Amino acid sequence: MSSGSKKVIYAALIGNGLIAICKFSAAAFTGSSAMLSEGVHSLVDTGNQVLMLHGLRKANRKADSKHPFGYGMELYFWAFVVAILIFALGSGISLYEGIKHIRHPEPISDPTLNYVVLGLSMLFEGWAWSVAYKEFQETKTEKSLWRSIIRSKDPTIFTVLLEDTAAMLGLVAAFVGIFLAQMLEIPELDGAASVIISIILGTVAVVLAFECKGLLIGESASDDVIDGIYAIVAEDPRITGVNELLTMHMGPRDILVNVSLDFNDDLQADEVESAISAFETRIKGGFPEVKRVFIEAQSFIGHRKSIKIEN
């Protein structure tokens, strides 16, 4: 279990919990639709952090007879549940509240409290976002932030980062909506801000669901790991070629490697066994995230025939 992941989640949990209380209090006193939507948003985010911590705990269980490859993918499942909750609860309720206040607008009684709460929320949310961003910067593998999110195998950090980004954008939308509703005396704009918040949350939910789906159905290891394994093969004169190399993430830091190798025909059985052991040791030594390596000694022609039989 990554200590960095837990730190990010706890920071978001504390921040969102405090923010949710403030927002609901302001919504109750002022009747602002945008503030109520923001309160729901923060409440959903708080629940999401609890689910992510639950997922981390479940994923950390040791492998057993029923799950011989461990429980790492539990984390991917709970991250997917988080995406669904953001869409169904956060986006859905915000859209409902926005449409309701556009159709039946109510003037905001005293927006001052809303501004104070929004300002405090931006401070809390900005702190949580900075913690998530700093941790993500330390783990990202690409120059582009977006490509790093796509390639990341740890949903805890990029989920919190996207949630906090959506929260910051939502706070800006709520502030603008409340301000314009007050200055222009058009209370419908408060409801329109809720609709915009709904769109922001829905977009983030779709992105998270798409990324978690890829992890759930099995994603390969990074190019660095795959290229590194090929390099290890190239350095061993006992191995004449790689017939097939398959990798899959069973968890953020748990990679399964399945490789079919063609060994030199002059090797004796005990020499092949020694080569296999050395190859496995080098892979695990070079890439600690590789937990299991399955090696099949097979000629290229035999491998091609087995593929034809399977197909």
Side-chain angles (χ1 to χ4, degrees):
M1 183 184 296
S2 169
S3 59
S5 298
K6 291 183 69 175
K7 179 177 69 175
V8 169
I9 296 174
Y10 277 122
L13 178 64
I14 294 171
N16 284 317
L18 294 172
I19 292 170
I21 295 172
C22 294
K23 288 177 179 176
F24 278 124
S25 299
F29 280 106
T30 65
S32 169
S33 170
M35 190 56 67
L36 180 60
S37 295
E38 276 296 303
V40 172
H41 178 186
S42 295
L43 182 62
V44 171
D45 282 352
T46 303
N48 288 343
Q49 267 78 70
V50 173
L51 288 178
M52 294 301 290
L53 288 172
H54 176 71
L56 280 173
R57 183 177 64 84
K58 288 286 188 181
N60 201 42
R61 289 180 294 172
K62 294 182 179 180
D64 53 36
S65 58
K66 290 186 177 180
H67 296 86
F69 291 105
Y71 292 83
M73 285 195 171
E74 280 246 23
L75 182 58
Y76 298 155
F77 168 76
W78 289 108
F80 187 78
V81 171
V82 165
I84 299 302
L85 288 177
I86 292 175
F87 187 83
L89 295 180
S91 180
I93 294 176
S94 295
L95 182 62
Y96 169 78
E97 283 296 321
I99 293 175
K100 184 179 77 172
H101 280 76
I102 290 174
R103 295 181 61 186
H104 307 288
E106 298 178 6
I108 300 174
S109 58
D110 184 10
T112 303
L113 180 59
N114 285 330
Y115 295 141
V116 172
V117 170
L118 287 173
L120 291 174
S121 297
M122 287 182 179
L123 289 176
F124 288 132
E125 204 68 69
W127 167 71
W129 185 91
S130 66
V131 173
Y133 182 75
K134 181 180 179 181
E135 191 64 32
F136 189 78
Q137 284 288 98
E138 294 178 358
T139 60
K140 78 173 190 175
T141 57
E142 303 284 342
K143 291 183 179 180
S144 166
L145 180 64
W146 177 246
R147 284 189 59 83
S148 293
I149 290 175
I150 294 175
R151 298 298 300 274
S152 175
K153 311 302 180 183
D154 188 349
T156 54
I157 297 178
F158 71 70
T159 295
V160 173
L161 180 62
L162 288 175
E163 278 184 350
D164 289 344
T165 301
M168 293 296 289
L169 293 174
L171 288 169
V172 173
F175 183 90
V176 173
I178 293 171
F179 178 76
L180 291 178
Q182 176 194 9
M183 295 300 295
L184 302 178
E185 297 184 354
I186 305 176
E188 289 86 353
L189 293 177
D190 182 37
S194 289
V195 174
I196 293 174
I197 293 170
S198 171
I199 294 172
I200 293 171
L201 292 177
T203 301
V204 168
V206 170
V207 171
L208 287 177
F210 181 80
E211 288 304 309
C212 292
K213 183 209 74 171
L215 294 171
L216 274 174
I217 64 177
E219 284 191 1
S220 65
S222 67
D223 292 340
D224 290 340
V225 174
I226 294 174
D227 292 342
I229 294 175
Y230 275 114
I232 292 174
V233 172
E235 294 171 0
D236 195 327
R238 295 169 295 184
I239 303 173
T240 59
V242 178
N243 300 319
E244 188 174 29
L245 173 60
L246 303 175
T247 64
M248 186 170 74
H249 267 270
M250 307 303 294
R253 294 161 193 84
D254 185 354
I255 299 175
L256 169 69
V257 174
N258 189 3
V259 58
S260 172
L261 299 176
D262 192 353
F263 289 88
N264 192 311
D265 294 336
D266 297 332
L267 295 178
Q268 300 296 318
D270 59 337
E271 292 176 317
V272 172
E273 291 174 355
S274 176
I276 288 175
S277 297
F279 181 61
E280 180 177 354
T281 300
R282 288 198 62 188
I283 291 177
K284 290 184 175 180
F287 305 99
E289 62 268 41
V290 174
K291 305 301 182 185
R292 298 169 185 83
V293 181
F294 296 95
I295 302 172
E296 184 177 18
Q298 195 175 29
S299 68
F300 176 75
I301 295 176
H303 175 71
R304 298 309 299 175
K305 286 181 178 179
S306 67
I307 293 178
K308 289 181 179 179
I309 293 174
E310 292 175 359
N311 295 334

